[in-house]
Every structure is written in structure tokens, then in C-alpha cells.
Amino acid sequence: MTQKNKAFEQAQFSHVDQQGKAAMVDVTDKLTTQRTAVAKGKITMSAHAFEILVNNQHKKGDVLAVARIAGIQAAKKCSDLIPLCHPLMLSKVQVDFELMGNECAVEIESMCKLSGQTGVEMEALTAVSVAALTLFDMCKAVDPSMVISDIRVVHKQGGKSGTWQAN
């Protein structure tokens, strides 16, 4: 082994090979464990757009139902969207919305779960992101100035690192 290869192995980059090229992490030897991730995000809109959403009066139909399906579908397609992300056999994807009247905002929460060798944080984040983008797409005629924000992982469980909870 060359000196360069030894130094590279010591650096332990997870997504590049010995030649510095992008590579998918090998999870073959990782233990299969129950893994869960929860992500959240928010879309804030005008009072008028929020009122139409709350009263389910959008011309495009039930935007929350469509956004929920979009989020679930996105979690299932995460590896097609994010380079080097492992395709996963998700056992559960849930997308929920909390209507926050005082902020004229919708909080989006997703939960992804599986029994596998790698975590599901990216799937949960993708579900929230696409649900928010779908809400934006369906409501932009009423309010093109909506803001998508605060997309983050708030909880993960399973794997070698165990349980993590955001503060």
C-alpha cells in the first residue's frame, strides 16, 4: 500500500474511494436494526392563502392530501434523487401537517421507518421537502411569496449511534 493510500484510509472519508472518486458507502457488514427518523419543516404564507387552505377552498382541490401523497412518494424515491443514497425498503412513511393559524403556516412532519443497515434521515427530509414544494406549487397562484423554512431532522433512532433528539 502506498503512503498516499495509507493516508487516505486514515482520513476515512465515507463517500469517496481511494482515488478520490465518489462512491456509495458499503453497508454490507453493518447490523440490521430498526431505524426511524423524524423530520420537520414549515411553509409560511399570507393570511388569505392560509384561510383558503384551512377551508379547503383551493381550485386545485385538497392540497394537503396531495402534499401528503407527494411526501410519501418522495421518501420512496429518495435514492433516485440524492446521489449515493442507498435504495431502502421502507416499512413505514407518514406525513402529517399542523396548521399554525397564529403564523399562517403549515408545519410538516414526516416519519420514516425500516429494518435495515442504514438510516432513514434522508428519506424523512426528502418527504418534508417535497410535501412543502407541493404545497407551494398548489398554492402559488394565491401567494407566490410563500417561504419554505426550517427543514431539519428532529429525531433518529437505531443503528450504531442509537437515539438522537434535537434540542
Side-chain angles (χ1 to χ4, degrees):
M1 184 178 289
T2 69
Q3 201 62 12
K4 182 180 177 183
N5 287 348
K6 283 182 184 176
F8 182 81
E9 276 193 16
Q10 290 173 347
Q12 297 181 353
F13 295 114
S14 62
H15 286 75
V16 291
D17 66 14
Q18 292 183 348
Q19 289 76 42
K21 298 176 188 168
M24 182 183 274
V25 174
D26 184 355
V27 297
T28 305
D29 296 328
K30 290 179 79 176
L31 292 175
T32 297
T33 63
Q34 298 288 322
R35 298 165 185 262
T36 304
V38 177
K40 288 186 178 187
K42 181 168 65 171
I43 183 165
T44 306
M45 59 192 69
S46 68
H48 178 62
F50 187 76
E51 181 182 336
I52 291 171
L53 176 74
V54 168
N55 295 320
N56 197 19
Q57 295 175 330
H58 272 279
K59 292 179 181 179
K60 294 184 179 184
D62 187 345
V63 297
L64 292 175
V66 174
R68 177 176 284 112
I69 292 168
I72 292 168
Q73 191 67 20
K76 293 167 37 177
K77 292 290 194 178
C78 186
S79 67
D80 293 336
L81 301 169
I82 309 294
L84 310 180
C85 194
H86 292 85
L88 302 179
M89 292 294 297
L90 296 168
S91 57
K92 175 76 174 170
V93 178
Q94 184 172 327
V95 176
D96 293 308
F97 303 103
E98 180 182 342
L99 302 175
M100 304 167 70
N102 58 329
E103 296 180 46
C104 294
V106 179
E107 184 176 69
I108 305 157
E109 180 177 289
S110 71
M111 185 275 298
C112 294
K113 185 176 181 180
L114 61 61
S115 179
Q117 295 168 294
T118 188
V120 291
E121 296 91 342
M122 294 311 301
E123 288 72 13
L125 288 165
T126 301
V128 167
S129 299
V130 171
L133 290 169
T134 301
L135 288 171
F136 190 100
D137 181 51
M138 295 189 76
C139 299
K140 69 183 182 270
V142 177
D143 180 8
S145 67
M146 291 174 287
V147 175
I148 296 170
S149 64
D150 302 322
I151 298 173
R152 70 219 181 271
V153 174
V154 296
H155 176 81
K156 77 166 235 51
Q157 184 175 336
K160 186 168 63 172
S161 61
T163 300
W164 177 85
Q165 183 76 37
N167 295 331

